[in-house]
Amino acid sequence: MRGKILVVEDEPRLAALLRDYLHKEGYEAHCLKDGLEVAPWVCEQAPDLILLDLMLPGRDGLEICKEIRSFSGIPIIMVTARVEEIDRLLGLELGADDYICKPFSPREVMARIKAVLRRASGQKSPGMCGLVLDKDRYKAILHDRELYLTAVEFQLLQILASHPGRIFSRRQLMDRIYPDQRIVSDRTIDSHVKKLRRKIAVAAPGENWVHSVYSVGYKFEMP
Ligand code: CA
């Protein structure tokens, strides 16, 4: 399989057509028609790209795009029924990777999908022992698998990884992540670190990247 594509489209015939084309091209394709299902599905299934229709029941494409960008830099192609809409969408700076207008030919969609995937994989810079941090998109990739970190988890990893071996206290981490001096307890950092480690463990079972230093804080070390 060349990749897992999520098609969010409420017109059943169009969704089926796209799915068949994607299959023919060697992609794994899944279709969702209800906007409310998208974010939970993306969290759980970690697709490689989303083809996202703008007008949907439940929640529209704009909201979905914003929501997904709050936790992931996964490539998104927005689909709209009106060409004049694209200018407005661009102005909103949603963070989508490309825009496509209906009606389109499946061949055109395939070309766009391939281009966006190619671009996305080109952005990965060589990292530390298989860990790549894409700061612009808050995207962390470990051994070619995206970790799907929240913004806070990404910042934690980035701060720790910026000085491998150096111990950061919880207070130092909190000050860097919450510069507005918001009151957060030590437990908040602990719980974010716990989630971060769980995601790392899924991508790299048995590898310990984030170490806790008893009663002091945390440090990053390459396994
Ligand atoms: Ca629609």
Side-chain angles (χ1 to χ4, degrees):
M1 283 290 165
R2 303 175 66 170
K4 192 197 278 188
I5 313 291
L6 172 62
V7 176
V8 185
E9 173 58 68
D10 58 320
E11 290 170 43
R13 278 174 49 201
L14 184 52
L17 178 75
L18 287 168
R19 191 191 51 217
D20 292 348
Y21 250 85
L22 284 162
H23 284 166
K24 223 183 289 172
E25 294 276 331
Y27 293 97
E28 190 183 331
H30 296 264
C31 299
L32 291 177
K33 58 179 186 297
D34 188 324
L36 290 169
E37 298 172 26
V38 180
W41 195 93
V42 169
C43 269
E44 197 173 310
Q45 299 286 328
D48 296 297
L49 182 144
I50 307 172
L51 204 57
L52 179 59
D53 188 27
L54 188 61
M55 299 292 278
L56 292 164
R59 176 175 289 165
D60 74 19
L62 288 182
E63 291 302 317
I64 296 169
C65 189
K66 274 188 240 164
E67 191 180 1
I68 290 172
R69 276 294 169 265
S70 71
F71 65 86
S72 168
I74 177 181
I76 298 175
I77 300 179
M78 294 281 286
V79 179
T80 163
R82 288 186 300 150
V83 72
E84 60 272 21
E85 188 98 74
I86 292 180
D87 260 353
R88 188 175 76 87
L89 293 173
L90 281 169
L92 293 174
E93 293 182 14
L94 296 166
D97 296 79
D98 200 0
Y99 299 86
I100 214 168
C101 188
K102 289 179 185 175
F104 47 67
S105 71
R107 190 185 294 239
E108 184 191 352
V109 177
M110 290 312 136
R112 299 285 193 100
I113 287 175
K114 283 177 197 165
V116 167
L117 285 175
R118 213 166 30 234
R119 219 157 58 209
S121 67
Q123 277 167 356
K124 290 181 208 163
S125 56
M128 302 158 272
C129 293
L131 177 68
V132 181
L133 298 176
D134 179 349
K135 287 165 198 161
D136 294 332
R137 311 174 89 201
Y138 275 35
K139 195 167 167 177
I141 293 157
L142 184 54
H143 302 320
D144 291 327
R145 294 180 67 174
E146 188 174 349
L147 298 180
Y148 294 102
L149 303 181
T150 62
V152 170
E153 289 158 9
F154 183 88
Q155 288 178 81
L156 265 175
L157 183 58
Q158 196 191 327
I159 293 164
L160 292 167
S162 68
H163 294 89
R166 170 172 160 189
I167 299 165
F168 288 86
S169 70
R170 291 179 177 81
R171 170 52 55 193
Q172 286 173 324
L173 293 169
M174 278 188 274
D175 288 347
R176 281 173 167 78
I177 293 170
Y178 303 103
D180 56 352
Q181 304 293 317
R182 219 186 307 166
I183 307 299
V184 278
S185 77
D186 290 359
R187 293 236 178 92
T188 314
I189 291 292
D190 290 342
S191 105
H192 288 303
V193 169
K194 207 165 148 190
K195 286 178 198 149
L196 171 61
R197 283 170 148 175
R198 211 177 294 152
K199 291 178 183 178
I200 290 174
V202 170
E207 286 184 10
N208 192 5
W209 291 72
V210 177
H211 299 252
S212 58
V213 181
Y214 184 66
S215 83
V216 180
Y218 296 98
K219 67 174 176 178
F220 175 94
E221 251 168 24
M222 283 170 244

